[in-house]
Amino acid sequence: MADSAQVPTLVYLVTGGCGFLGEHIVRMLLEREPRLRELRVFDLHLSSWLEELKTEGAGPVQVTAIQGDVTQAHEVAAAMAGSHVVIHTAGLVDVFGKASPKTIHKVNVQGTRNVIDACVQTGTRFLVYTSSMEVVGPNTKGHPFYRGNEDTPYEAVHRHPYPCSKALAEQLVLEANGRKVNGGLPLVTCALRPTGIYGEGHQVMRDFYHQGLRFGGRLFRAVPASVEHGRVYVGNVAWMHVLVAQELEQRAALMGGQVYFCYDKSPYKSYEDFNMEFLNPCGIRLIGTHPLLPYWLLALLAALNALLQWLLRPLVLYTPLLNPYTLAVANTTFTVSTNKAQRHFGYKPLFSWEESRARTIHWVQTMEGSAR
Ligand SMILES: NC(=O)c1ccc[n+]([C@@H]2O[C@H](COP(=O)([O-])OP(=O)(O)OC[C@H]3O[C@@H](n4cnc5c(N)ncnc54)[C@H](O)[C@@H]3O)[C@@H](O)[C@H]2O)c1
Ligand SMILES: CC(C)CCC[C@@H](C)[C@H]1CC[C@H]2[C@@H]3[C@H](O)C=C4C[C@@H](O)CC[C@]4(C)[C@H]3CC[C@]12C
């Protein structure tokens, strides 16, 4: 990337730019990448805020909305032609059985292969991939990963289609580092592994909030408070993506082919206790200091849900929050403690915990159908 502090020259492409994380990345790039000339937002479904951004919020940057499908190689290549950096965040995030394993594989693995091939074909040299903590774990054996880092040994065993697909896609991205792109220069790739992302726009938080409202302002504890679940604020995840994209050229030898957990100062808590940091100030209480139902009963209910999903599939899509996989993830300690991103590219969280919390609470309070 040419050093062009005065004249913006860079063209970025963000796949999945209309999603929860994608929107934050798009807005962060517009705020924090002064070298940006054009920002291409590629997504299967284009959002209405993009139109507003194009007319009002983008300043001198040209924002180009591209409705497209990452599973279609020609669409990806056409969108990518002439871009310098790709942030590939599009993905099918499904742990509830909404999509078939085949579709998850197609979008997450074949889609990523198409992005890599398009880089090679069009001469795009820098690729940042949104991976996931799930590439590591929790594993199917329920082993805890307690404040581990990128080098912590852990038996990564995947069976669920989502983590399987993310692990395969990440591997493709890392293996592609150094591949020659059109023009003869090497591709530089990097993968970011967020833990559970929270913040403005988080669908699962929205679901828990509405469930709490339906139960008269109450949620019932299902996971022991002692199980730690890693969480990271969406603004900090977006900032990490932008920083990696900015630093990849200068630090290609160090950063190329590397993985980084996404982290910030969010506290270590159980999944439910963490959610209560936001839902409590919005009028929702978590009932019980211990899970109200014993684990064996929850496991039975989860298995029953899985059976019902299978039986009902020909008639209706039954996708409850509780299934054997979500129960296992929520009940297994998985937290991260690392400074690799700081050492390699100077990352520091842009948002403090207090700010992340305040922004998320404000979003819940102003959500459609909220109690206020
Ligand atoms: N949400 C989390 O907690 C979390 C944690 C770790 C990693 N991730 C990863 O972050 C990325 C973004 O996740 P998110 O939570 O913002 O999900 P999201 O569903 O809100 O966003 C994904 C976006 O990708 C788009 N997309 C899906 N299929 C597509 C296709 N075939 N072609 C083009 N676009 C397509 C969707 O329309 C959507 O806008 C994913 O790759 C996910 O695996 C998410
Ligand atoms: C016992 C149940 C009632 C609790 C249900 C909570 C469950 C829906 C939550 C718990 C943990 C959540 C996952 C976790 O934060 C990390 C990720 C990684 C990311 O790549 C995709 C989302 C995912 C799987 C979260 C999904 C929702 C989970 C399972």
Side-chain angles (χ1 to χ4, degrees):
M1 286 177 275
D3 181 15
S4 46
Q6 304 303 319
V7 189
T9 51
L10 296 182
V11 179
Y12 271 64
L13 174 77
V14 181
T15 71
C18 292
F20 163 46
L21 173 60
E23 176 176 353
H24 286 267
I25 294 176
V26 164
R27 293 186 188 276
M28 188 66 72
L29 278 169
L30 291 171
E31 264 175 40
R32 302 251 164 194
E33 176 46 284
R35 300 168 306 168
L36 197 59
R37 174 168 62 82
E38 184 188 349
L39 177 54
R40 299 180 187 165
V41 182
F42 181 97
D43 205 298
L44 198 54
H45 308 288
L46 297 178
S47 305
S48 50
W49 56 261
L50 202 53
E51 277 311 305
E52 290 156 32
L53 200 67
K54 277 167 66 180
T55 47
E56 294 154 26
V61 178
Q62 183 191 333
V63 176
T64 311
I66 306 170
Q67 199 265 322
D69 185 343
V70 289
T71 69
Q72 302 302 312
H74 63 283
E75 292 183 12
V76 182
M80 208 183 286
S83 58
H84 300 92
V85 184
V86 184
I87 299 181
H88 175 41
T89 203
L92 202 44
V93 186
D94 181 20
V95 292
F96 305 112
K98 292 178 184 168
S100 70
K102 204 171 152 201
T103 309
I104 294 175
H105 183 92
K106 193 170 169 196
V107 174
N108 292 352
V109 183
Q110 187 55 43
T112 301
R113 198 174 277 125
N114 290 343
V115 168
I116 294 167
D117 290 347
C119 286
V120 172
Q121 202 182 315
T122 64
T124 301
R125 282 202 56 212
F126 303 100
L127 167 60
V128 183
Y129 173 62
T130 314
S131 181
S132 168
M133 77 178 204
E134 302 252 322
V135 160
V136 181
N139 64 19
T140 47
K141 298 179 179 176
H143 293 156
F145 186 88
Y146 181 73
R147 305 191 190 185
N149 63 33
E150 289 83 351
D151 299 318
T152 304
Y154 188 78
E155 194 183 341
V157 191
H158 309 294
R159 241 183 267 137
H160 193 278
Y162 174 73
C164 284
S165 68
K166 293 301 283 186
L168 282 172
E170 184 190 270
Q171 199 184 343
L172 290 176
V173 168
L174 301 181
E175 283 171 4
N177 183 60
R179 224 168 121 183
K180 293 275 183 295
V181 302
N182 192 2
L185 292 169
L187 178 63
V188 188
T189 69
C190 193
L192 295 182
R193 293 172 174 169
T195 51
I197 308 174
Y198 70 92
E200 306 94 296
H202 185 216
Q203 185 56 46
V204 181
M205 185 81 76
R206 207 180 261 141
D207 294 344
F208 273 106
Y209 178 57
H210 286 132
Q211 202 171 83
L213 289 182
R214 276 199 300 278
F215 291 148
R218 286 168 302 177
L219 284 169
F220 300 93
R221 188 184 290 278
V223 179
S226 56
V227 176
E228 278 189 3
H229 190 82
R231 303 294 285 269
V232 60
Y233 177 61
V234 66
N236 288 323
V237 180
W239 173 228
M240 261 185 100
H241 281 72
V242 170
L243 210 52
V244 167
Q246 286 174 340
E247 296 296 325
L248 259 188
E249 181 172 29
Q250 294 304 321
R251 303 180 194 223
L254 178 67
M255 293 172 64
Q258 292 288 324
V259 296
Y260 300 94
F261 277 122
C262 296
Y263 58 91
D264 60 15
K265 296 277 167 44
S266 302
Y268 298 111
K269 289 193 172 214
S270 77
Y271 190 78
E272 290 168 320
D273 286 304
F274 190 84
N275 285 353
M276 292 321 288
E277 290 281 349
F278 321 105
L279 300 184
N280 218 317
C282 301
I284 308 287
R285 281 182 311 132
L286 184 63
I287 308 295
T289 48
H290 298 281
L292 256 67
L293 300 179
Y295 183 80
W296 67 264
L297 188 52
L298 278 173
L300 193 70
L301 290 174
L304 199 66
N305 274 341
L307 181 69
L308 275 175
Q309 180 173 83
W310 182 74
L311 288 174
L312 295 174
R313 198 173 280 284
L315 305 168
V316 64
L317 207 52
Y318 174 62
T319 57
L321 277 180
L322 179 67
N323 64 43
Y325 182 75
T326 57
L327 182 66
V329 175
N331 269 281
T332 307
T333 285
F334 197 100
T335 43
V336 162
S337 174
T338 175
N339 62 2
K340 184 174 176 184
Q342 194 214 324
R343 283 186 284 113
H344 279 206
F345 53 93
Y347 164 75
K348 282 198 200 101
L350 197 57
F351 301 93
S352 66
W353 159 239
E354 290 70 25
E355 209 176 340
S356 309
R357 184 173 177 270
R359 283 171 172 253
T360 308
I361 292 171
H362 177 74
W363 168 71
V364 178
Q365 285 173 340
T366 52
M367 201 188 284
E368 208 181 304
S370 73
R372 294 171 188 233

